């Protein structure tokens, strides 16, 4: 089966940086959208940053100018560089990928989540 393996979460002080990575593996026919969502306790899950297969990106307004999403198609890996972190960035971050495993149609896969905690 398709697996998304995340790494890079942890504890950091406000103003610091973290880099998350998520590698997809398995019998992947095509890999389209890859991105990051986050969910804080009591809050809805929200899209943080995403990147299409053509390299186009989109960001939540709250992270624009601070976070950068990128991908390495050869490695089937998506990254999230997080700079100038704020306490309100504290959440569980989930990798997401739209994957096709032939002959089945495209579907959304999720990573296990990685905790990011930003102290004030």
């Amino acid at each position: 089966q398709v697996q998304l393996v995340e790494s890079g979460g942890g504890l950091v002080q406000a103003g610091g940086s973290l880099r998350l990575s998520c590698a997809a593996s398995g019998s992947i026919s095509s890999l389209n959208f890859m991105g990051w969502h986050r969910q804080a306790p009591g809050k809805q899950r929200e899209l943080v940053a995403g990147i299409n297969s053509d390299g186009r990106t989109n960001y939540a307004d709250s992270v624009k100018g601070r976070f950068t999403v990128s991908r390495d198609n050869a490695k089937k890996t998506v990254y999230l560089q997080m700079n100038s972190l704020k306490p309100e960035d504290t959440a569980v971050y989930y990798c997401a990928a739209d994957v096709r495993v032939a002959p089945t149609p495209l579907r959304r896969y999720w990573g296990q989540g990685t905790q990011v905690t930003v102290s004030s």
Side-chain angles (χ1 to χ4, degrees):
Q1 292 185 340
V2 174
Q3 184 178 14
L4 302 180
V5 179
E6 303 174 27
S7 63
L11 175 65
V12 66
Q13 288 187 308
S17 298
L18 287 172
R19 192 191 194 208
L20 307 182
S21 64
C22 172
S25 62
S27 300
I28 299 173
S29 299
S30 63
L31 181 60
N32 292 44
F33 170 87
M34 299 187 77
W36 297 90
H37 298 244
R38 68 185 181 188
Q39 187 167 27
K43 301 292 183 65
Q44 292 182 315
R45 185 174 297 188
E46 63 175 347
L47 175 68
V48 177
I51 183 167
N52 298 323
S53 59
D54 61 4
R56 289 183 293 176
T57 59
N58 62 96
Y59 297 91
D61 288 340
S62 59
V63 307
K64 287 181 178 178
R66 300 188 297 120
F67 292 9
T68 302
V69 65
S70 60
R71 65 190 285 169
D72 185 328
N73 290 328
K75 296 181 179 179
K76 299 179 181 177
T77 300
V78 62
Y79 306 93
L80 185 66
Q81 179 66 47
M82 304 185 293
N83 298 325
S84 302
L85 283 161
K86 304 175 181 179
E88 50 263 46
D89 295 319
T90 296
V92 178
Y93 284 69
Y94 296 91
C95 177
D98 292 342
V99 179
R100 180 168 181 259
V101 180
T104 59
L106 195 74
R107 63 170 289 183
R108 174 64 57 87
Y109 287 84
W110 295 90
Q112 78 284 358
T114 184
Q115 178 70 47
V116 172
T117 302
V118 184
S119 62
S120 60

